[in-house]
Amino acid sequence: QVQLVESGGGLVQPGGSLRLSCAARGSIFRINDMGWYRQAPGKQRELVATITSGGSTNYADSVKGRFTISRDNAKNTVYLQMSSLSPEDTAVYYCNAEIVRASVLGRSTQAYWGQGTQVGVSS
């Protein structure tokens, strides 16, 4: 089995910073793209940032210049450094990873989601 375990959420004041982490655990052959999504109350889940295995990144316009996604391939972990946070960033943040597993039957690729971590920005 594979699990994505998130950590780092919390409550911060506007202008503050937080760092989210998401570690993939289990039987993993390779991880392709990894990313962060968020869902605010009453809204649909939206993409925040993605990163390829080679380190190419993509950001939502709303977080460009404020958030930085990175990954440690040796640790199967993706990070989201968030700065200059505003109340509009309040949401549950989910990590996502496309994971390749190998078995005697061959390789299979599946997208996995973390359990979500709450980020609140309020004065």
Side-chain angles (χ1 to χ4, degrees), residues 22 40 50-51 55 67 72 81 105 113 119:
C22 173
T50 61
I51 185 168
F67 291 9
D72 185 332
Q81 178 67 48
L105 300 178
W113 290 91
V119 171

Side-chain angles (χ1 to χ4, degrees), residues 26-78:
S27 177
I28 297 169
F29 177 77
R30 184 181 68 244
I31 302 179
N32 295 331
D33 292 358
M34 305 183 82
W36 290 94
Y37 293 72
R38 66 186 181 186
Q39 187 167 18
K43 295 187 178 181
Q44 290 187 330
R45 190 174 298 188
E46 63 176 2
L47 179 147
V48 175
T50 61
I51 185 168
T52 68
S53 58
S56 296
T57 59
N58 178 56
Y59 294 93
D61 288 342
S62 59
V63 307
K64 282 181 181 177
R66 300 188 299 121
F67 291 9
T68 301
I69 189 170
S70 60
R71 63 191 284 174
D72 185 332
N73 291 331
K75 296 181 179 179
N76 289 338
T77 299
V78 62

